[in-house]
Amino acid sequence: DAGITQSPRYKITETGRQVTLMCHQTWSHSYMFWYRQDLGHGLRLIYYSAAADITDKGEVPDGYVVSRSKTENFPLTLESATRSQTSVYFCAIMTSGSGNEQFFGPGTRLTVL
Amino acid sequence: GEDVEQSLFLSVREGDSSVINCTYTDSSSTYLYWYKQEPGAGLQLLTYIFSNMDMKQDQRLTVLLNKKDKHLSLRIADTQTGDSAIYFCAESISSTLTFGKGTMLLVSP
C-alpha cells in the first residue's frame, strides 16, 4: 500500500457532463498514472505525469484532461462524458526503487448514462 | 508497437501448481511484472523480474523469463483457493507499463 486514495469510488453521470476523478498520494512519488480497465482490453494508460506541471499522453488520452499543480494530487477530468467512457479508472504511482514498481489505488467505477 | 498476450483462463485444483504464461513483443523491456486483481479491488503487485535475469523465486511464486522467445511465466506452488483472481503481466518500457488482458485463475477445492 503506497498510500493512494481515489475519490469518488463510484460515480454515475450523464452524457455531456463534466466529471473529475481525484487521486491523492500520501507520499511524494514523482510519477503518477491514470489507467482505465475495460472487459476485453485489460488496462490502458490514459495519461501520466513525471512531476508537478509535467504531464504526457498515454495510449487512450482522447476525451480526458489532467493537471498536476501539486505533487500529491493528479486529477483526471472528463470534459464532456460519453458512454464509451464508462469504465473503472485506476490511479497509480511509481516508486523510485530498483524495480520502478507501480502501485495502484482502489479504483473509481464510473458509469455514464 | 508493444503487445502483451496472455491466455484468458486457467483452472486448477487446490494443492496443484499453476503456471500462467505471457508473451511480449518489445525486446527493450527493462522490467516485467506480475499483478493480481481480486474481484472489486485494485491491482496488487506480486513480483517483478529484471530483463537480464532468467528466474526469480519469492516464496510460492517463481517467475521464469525467456528473453530470446520473449516469454514470461508465473508459477504458483501449492495453489490455494485464495489464489483465485485475475493475473496480469506487464512490461515496462521507460516509465510506462503495457499490460496483458489478464488470465483468470480459478482454484477448485
Side-chain angles (χ1 to χ4, degrees):
Chain A
D1 181 7
I4 308 166
T5 57
Q6 292 186 236
S7 61
R9 294 293 314 278
Y10 302 90
K11 175 76 178 177
I12 299 174
T13 191
E14 294 177 335
T15 302
R17 291 194 182 258
Q18 183 179 81
V19 176
T20 296
L21 309 183
M22 302 301 295
C23 177
H24 173 79
Q25 59 163 323
T26 55
W27 301 88
S28 297
H29 296 294
S30 297
Y31 276 89
M32 297 185 76
F33 305 82
W34 275 107
Y35 294 88
R36 59 178 290 174
Q37 184 177 25
D38 305 288
L39 203 61
H41 289 281
L43 278 91
R44 292 179 291 175
L45 181 64
I46 304 170
Y47 269 97
Y48 66 104
S49 168
D53 298 321
I54 300 175
T55 61
D56 214 340
K57 294 179 181 180
E59 182 186 350
V60 288
D62 293 343
Y64 303 94
V65 174
V66 293
S67 61
R68 192 148 176 226
S69 57
K70 291 184 178 181
T71 301
E72 61 267 27
N73 295 326
F74 190 35
L76 176 74
T77 297
L78 289 66
E79 292 192 304
S80 178
T82 64
R83 290 202 180 97
S84 65
Q85 293 177 309
T86 292
S87 186
V88 182
Y89 291 85
F90 289 102
C91 176
I93 60 92
M94 184 169 75
T95 64
S96 52
S98 60
N100 288 347
E101 299 104 301
Q102 287 193 21
F103 294 93
F104 285 75
T108 294
R109 183 174 293 274
L110 176 68
T111 301
V112 183
L113 301 176
Chain B
E2 309 93 21
D3 201 10
V4 179
E5 302 275 347
Q6 300 178 237
S7 52
L8 291 180
F9 186 74
L10 176 65
S11 180
V12 300
R13 288 192 180 273
E14 192 173 22
D16 288 348
S17 292
S18 306
V19 180
I20 302 172
N21 295 300
C22 172
T23 58
Y24 61 99
T25 56
D26 199 314
S27 58
S28 61
S29 299
T30 48
Y31 296 96
L32 294 127
Y33 305 83
W34 284 103
Y35 284 86
K36 176 184 180 183
Q37 185 180 35
E38 298 184 36
L43 275 75
Q44 174 194 353
L45 178 64
L46 289 177
T47 187
Y48 68 91
I49 188 167
F50 188 45
S51 58
N52 68 353
M53 296 172 63
D54 298 324
M55 185 182 88
K56 181 179 181 181
Q57 189 150 3
D58 185 358
Q59 299 182 332
R60 290 192 298 124
L61 306 179
T62 303
V63 178
L64 295 177
L65 175 60
N66 181 328
K67 198 169 181 182
K68 174 177 170 288
D69 295 337
K70 299 189 183 70
H71 183 266
L72 181 74
S73 68
L74 174 70
R75 178 177 180 270
I76 306 172
D78 187 25
T79 313
Q80 302 297 307
T81 54
D83 294 323
S84 292
I86 300 176
Y87 291 80
F88 293 92
C89 68
E91 62 175 345
S92 169
I93 299 144
S94 183
S95 55
T96 63
L97 294 184
T98 300
F99 285 85
K101 292 181 171 57
T103 299
M104 180 177 289
L105 174 65
L106 180 63
V107 184
S108 53

